[in-house]
Amino acid sequence: MTSPPVLSGGCACGAVRFTVSGAPKRAGLCHCLTCRKAPAAAFNPFVVYEPGAVDVTGEVRIWRSSPDYARGFCGTCGSRVYGGNAGEIELSLGSFDAVGPIAPQYESWVSRREPWLRALDVPQHAANREP
């Protein structure tokens, strides 16, 4: 049995970098307004890890989008690097160096999905995914 690869990524300018090791908890697409507006995109593709599986280097600035959720971004280029709380770290799939190592397993907030965007062939949730 092989262990999951160590993956790396970072911000657009390279000032902030991250590595992850081990298997992710889950991966998805979110169409909620905050996940759309924070990166100025139609949706946010993300993957969730245990905090101990993620190592971030470089200067990160924090924005609290809610009392229990912090979003970390590069202070130089403004790229979102991670989000999370005490129990989970969420990384954007577009921040990884490799293309396609992790595929979304579900979509959330599909009630806010752009009408021109087709649904993935994964479970669909009108709002938050129930644990």
Side-chain angles (χ1 to χ4, degrees), residues 4-130:
V6 172
L7 299 172
S8 61
C11 68
C13 74
V16 177
R17 299 288 299 158
F18 66 80
T19 57
V20 296
S21 57
K25 292 174 74 172
R26 65 183 178 282
L29 293 183
C30 184
H31 302 275
C32 81
L33 286 180
T34 304
C35 283
R36 290 166 48 108
K37 289 183 181 238
F43 57 88
N44 177 37
F46 64 91
V47 60
V48 176
Y49 285 90
E50 296 287 342
V54 180
D55 182 43
V56 178
T57 59
E59 185 179 340
V60 176
R61 298 192 58 199
I62 301 295
W63 170 57
R64 291 205 168 273
S65 57
S66 64
D68 65 340
Y69 195 86
R71 294 174 186 264
F73 60 95
C74 174
T76 301
C77 69
S79 298
R80 178 182 189 266
V81 179
Y82 65 85
N85 54 36
E88 297 183 332
I89 299 292
E90 179 184 293
L91 300 166
S92 294
L93 292 179
S95 296
F96 283 86
D97 295 333
V99 176
I102 301 166
Q105 300 162 314
Y106 64 93
E107 289 187 69
S108 59
W109 283 97
V110 297
S111 59
R112 296 196 181 268
R113 180 176 36 226
E114 290 287 344
W116 46 261
L117 186 62
R118 292 187 197 151
L120 296 178
D121 188 20
V122 295
Q124 305 289 304
H125 303 278
N128 285 330
R129 176 190 71 88
E130 294 300 321

